[in-house]
mmCIF file of all heavy atoms in Angstrom:
data_model
loop_
_atom_site.group_PDB
_atom_site.id
_atom_site.type_symbol
_atom_site.label_atom_id
_atom_site.label_comp_id
_atom_site.label_asym_id
_atom_site.label_seq_id
_atom_site.Cartn_x
_atom_site.Cartn_y
_atom_site.Cartn_z
ATOM 1 N N TYR A 42 1.838 -6.149 8.619
ATOM 2 C CA TYR A 42 2.458 -5.151 8.024
ATOM 3 C C TYR A 42 2.918 -3.983 8.984
ATOM 4 O O TYR A 42 2.497 -4.076 10.126
ATOM 5 C CB TYR A 42 1.573 -4.436 6.888
ATOM 6 C CG TYR A 42 0.490 -3.676 7.364
ATOM 7 C CD1 TYR A 42 0.547 -2.206 7.409
ATOM 8 C CD2 TYR A 42 -0.776 -4.183 7.856
ATOM 9 C CE1 TYR A 42 -0.524 -1.408 7.807
ATOM 10 C CE2 TYR A 42 -1.785 -3.397 8.278
ATOM 11 C CZ TYR A 42 -1.618 -1.992 8.310
ATOM 12 O OH TYR A 42 -2.680 -1.244 8.762
ATOM 13 N N PHE A 43 3.805 -3.076 8.523
ATOM 14 C CA PHE A 43 4.202 -1.946 9.278
ATOM 15 C C PHE A 43 4.129 -0.719 8.393
ATOM 16 O O PHE A 43 4.030 -0.776 7.161
ATOM 17 C CB PHE A 43 5.647 -2.223 9.781
ATOM 18 C CG PHE A 43 6.661 -2.272 8.704
ATOM 19 C CD1 PHE A 43 7.464 -1.227 8.347
ATOM 20 C CD2 PHE A 43 6.918 -3.476 8.069
ATOM 21 C CE1 PHE A 43 8.404 -1.266 7.327
ATOM 22 C CE2 PHE A 43 7.923 -3.654 7.125
ATOM 23 C CZ PHE A 43 8.642 -2.557 6.738
ATOM 24 N N ARG A 44 4.163 0.448 9.103
ATOM 25 C CA ARG A 44 4.058 1.716 8.393
ATOM 26 C C ARG A 44 5.377 2.548 8.495
ATOM 27 O O ARG A 44 5.869 2.626 9.521
ATOM 28 C CB ARG A 44 2.838 2.474 8.938
ATOM 29 C CG ARG A 44 1.578 1.802 8.796
ATOM 30 C CD ARG A 44 0.411 2.448 9.545
ATOM 31 N NE ARG A 44 0.544 2.363 10.920
ATOM 32 C CZ ARG A 44 0.432 3.277 11.889
ATOM 33 N NH1 ARG A 44 0.036 4.521 11.374
ATOM 34 N NH2 ARG A 44 0.555 3.040 13.106
ATOM 35 N N VAL A 45 5.563 3.241 7.412
ATOM 36 C CA VAL A 45 6.750 4.216 7.472
ATOM 37 C C VAL A 45 6.119 5.561 7.028
ATOM 38 O O VAL A 45 5.575 5.704 5.958
ATOM 39 C CB VAL A 45 7.804 3.848 6.441
ATOM 40 C CG1 VAL A 45 9.011 4.788 6.508
ATOM 41 C CG2 VAL A 45 8.386 2.408 6.788
ATOM 42 N N GLY A 46 6.296 6.597 7.819
ATOM 43 C CA GLY A 46 5.792 7.880 7.570
ATOM 44 C C GLY A 46 6.760 8.675 6.783
ATOM 45 O O GLY A 46 7.960 8.523 6.936
ATOM 46 N N HIS A 47 6.312 9.516 5.924
ATOM 47 C CA HIS A 47 7.195 10.402 5.105
ATOM 48 C C HIS A 47 6.594 11.673 4.796
ATOM 49 O O HIS A 47 6.535 12.157 3.642
ATOM 50 C CB HIS A 47 7.737 9.677 3.827
ATOM 51 C CG HIS A 47 6.751 8.847 3.144
ATOM 52 N ND1 HIS A 47 5.812 9.296 2.267
ATOM 53 C CD2 HIS A 47 6.658 7.502 3.110
ATOM 54 C CE1 HIS A 47 5.115 8.323 1.761
ATOM 55 N NE2 HIS A 47 5.574 7.177 2.308
ATOM 56 N N MET A 48 6.080 12.367 5.840
ATOM 57 C CA MET A 48 5.384 13.629 5.666
ATOM 58 C C MET A 48 6.521 14.653 5.804
ATOM 59 O O MET A 48 7.547 14.528 6.511
ATOM 60 C CB MET A 48 4.370 13.911 6.788
ATOM 61 C CG MET A 48 3.236 13.032 6.677
ATOM 62 S SD MET A 48 2.002 13.286 8.044
ATOM 63 C CE MET A 48 1.655 14.937 7.944
ATOM 64 N N GLY A 49 6.374 15.906 5.220
ATOM 65 C CA GLY A 49 7.229 17.009 5.362
ATOM 66 C C GLY A 49 8.446 16.724 4.434
ATOM 67 O O GLY A 49 8.421 16.064 3.466
ATOM 68 N N VAL A 50 9.591 17.283 4.824
ATOM 69 C CA VAL A 50 10.777 17.235 4.105
ATOM 70 C C VAL A 50 11.539 15.959 4.367
ATOM 71 O O VAL A 50 11.854 15.635 5.529
ATOM 72 C CB VAL A 50 11.690 18.412 4.463
ATOM 73 C CG1 VAL A 50 13.056 18.343 3.686
ATOM 74 C CG2 VAL A 50 11.039 19.709 4.114
ATOM 75 N N VAL A 51 11.720 15.116 3.460
ATOM 76 C CA VAL A 51 12.463 13.823 3.661
ATOM 77 C C VAL A 51 13.770 13.921 2.709
ATOM 78 O O VAL A 51 13.580 14.054 1.501
ATOM 79 C CB VAL A 51 11.504 12.652 3.158
ATOM 80 C CG1 VAL A 51 12.351 11.309 3.334
ATOM 81 C CG2 VAL A 51 10.282 12.609 4.025
ATOM 82 N N SER A 52 14.856 13.817 3.373
ATOM 83 C CA SER A 52 16.116 13.905 2.588
ATOM 84 C C SER A 52 16.628 12.607 2.196
ATOM 85 O O SER A 52 16.258 11.560 2.690
ATOM 86 C CB SER A 52 17.189 14.616 3.528
ATOM 87 O OG SER A 52 17.531 13.704 4.522
ATOM 88 N N PRO A 53 17.600 12.602 1.209
ATOM 89 C CA PRO A 53 18.228 11.291 0.886
ATOM 90 C C PRO A 53 18.888 10.591 2.044
ATOM 91 O O PRO A 53 18.767 9.357 2.215
ATOM 92 C CB PRO A 53 19.187 11.721 -0.155
ATOM 93 C CG PRO A 53 18.701 12.955 -0.850
ATOM 94 C CD PRO A 53 18.001 13.707 0.361
ATOM 95 N N ALA A 54 19.369 11.416 2.987
ATOM 96 C CA ALA A 54 19.885 10.797 4.235
ATOM 97 C C ALA A 54 18.857 10.146 5.063
ATOM 98 O O ALA A 54 19.102 9.043 5.640
ATOM 99 C CB ALA A 54 20.671 11.854 5.057
ATOM 100 N N ASP A 55 17.600 10.693 5.122
ATOM 101 C CA ASP A 55 16.527 9.991 5.844
ATOM 102 C C ASP A 55 16.156 8.674 5.152
ATOM 103 O O ASP A 55 15.950 7.716 5.894
ATOM 104 C CB ASP A 55 15.269 10.876 5.834
ATOM 105 C CG ASP A 55 15.550 12.204 6.510
ATOM 106 O OD1 ASP A 55 16.240 12.243 7.641
ATOM 107 O OD2 ASP A 55 14.867 13.277 6.233
ATOM 108 N N ILE A 56 16.167 8.677 3.832
ATOM 109 C CA ILE A 56 15.785 7.439 3.114
ATOM 110 C C ILE A 56 16.910 6.396 3.358
ATOM 111 O O ILE A 56 16.608 5.215 3.608
ATOM 112 C CB ILE A 56 15.635 7.730 1.704
ATOM 113 C CG1 ILE A 56 14.410 8.671 1.438
ATOM 114 C CG2 ILE A 56 15.509 6.480 0.801
ATOM 115 C CD1 ILE A 56 14.270 9.291 0.062
ATOM 116 N N SER A 57 18.159 6.843 3.321
ATOM 117 C CA SER A 57 19.233 5.851 3.568
ATOM 118 C C SER A 57 19.250 5.277 4.878
ATOM 119 O O SER A 57 19.388 4.121 5.152
ATOM 120 C CB SER A 57 20.603 6.503 3.169
ATOM 121 O OG SER A 57 20.737 6.849 1.815
ATOM 122 N N ALA A 58 19.059 6.142 5.876
ATOM 123 C CA ALA A 58 18.973 5.683 7.212
ATOM 124 C C ALA A 58 17.857 4.782 7.525
ATOM 125 O O ALA A 58 17.985 3.660 8.156
ATOM 126 C CB ALA A 58 18.813 6.857 8.233
ATOM 127 N N THR A 59 16.711 4.992 6.859
ATOM 128 C CA THR A 59 15.486 4.098 7.073
ATOM 129 C C THR A 59 15.815 2.798 6.471
ATOM 130 O O THR A 59 15.589 1.722 7.005
ATOM 131 C CB THR A 59 14.229 4.773 6.553
ATOM 132 O OG1 THR A 59 14.028 6.022 7.199
ATOM 133 C CG2 THR A 59 13.047 3.866 6.679
#
Side-chain angles (χ1 to χ4, degrees):
Y42 74 100
F43 64 98
R44 298 172 292 135
V45 179
H47 38 79
M48 291 176 60
V50 178
V51 178
S52 72
D55 295 328
I56 295 168
S57 294
T59 300

